[in-house]
Amino acid sequence: MTALLSGILIAAYSMVALFFLRFWVTSRERLFVLFAAAFAMLALQRLALSLTAETMENQTFFYLFRLAAFVVIVFAIVDKNRR
């Protein structure tokens, strides 16, 4: 069941990344490319998490990667509102 939910999340994150990438192609707005990068990072994090058989204590790096994706999202929002 966990593998199914991970697959659904990977597909959803990838679709959202492609959605924002499509808007970036038409508008060249930096917000969209940063959102696309963040959601691609979230998809990669979920993929790496589902492919490893590490214990919870050894998965800290994967969650730091997820934190970096959220930092990119916050930076994109702040950058857009600052201009």
Side-chain angles (χ1 to χ4, degrees):
M1 187 67 172
T2 305
L4 175 68
L5 291 175
S6 289
I8 291 170
L9 282 173
I10 292 166
Y13 286 142
S14 300
M15 283 184 358
V16 171
L18 291 174
F19 180 77
F20 282 117
L21 199 58
R22 186 183 70 179
F23 281 118
W24 175 74
V25 168
T26 58
S27 70
R28 296 292 182 201
E29 184 70 35
R30 186 167 42 180
L31 174 79
F32 294 132
V33 75
L34 288 174
F35 268 51
F39 280 101
M41 288 172 66
L42 289 171
L44 289 174
Q45 182 265 344
R46 181 53 64 177
L47 178 66
L49 199 61
S50 65
L51 291 179
T52 60
E54 298 284 330
T55 60
M56 287 298 286
E57 292 83 17
N58 296 334
Q59 293 177 346
T60 306
F61 173 74
F62 298 123
Y63 288 102
L64 289 176
F65 196 68
R66 186 178 195 159
L67 177 66
F70 287 117
V71 168
V72 169
I73 291 173
V74 170
F75 171 76
I77 293 169
V78 169
D79 182 56
K80 177 66 176 175
N81 288 326
R82 191 183 56 187
R83 284 189 271 153

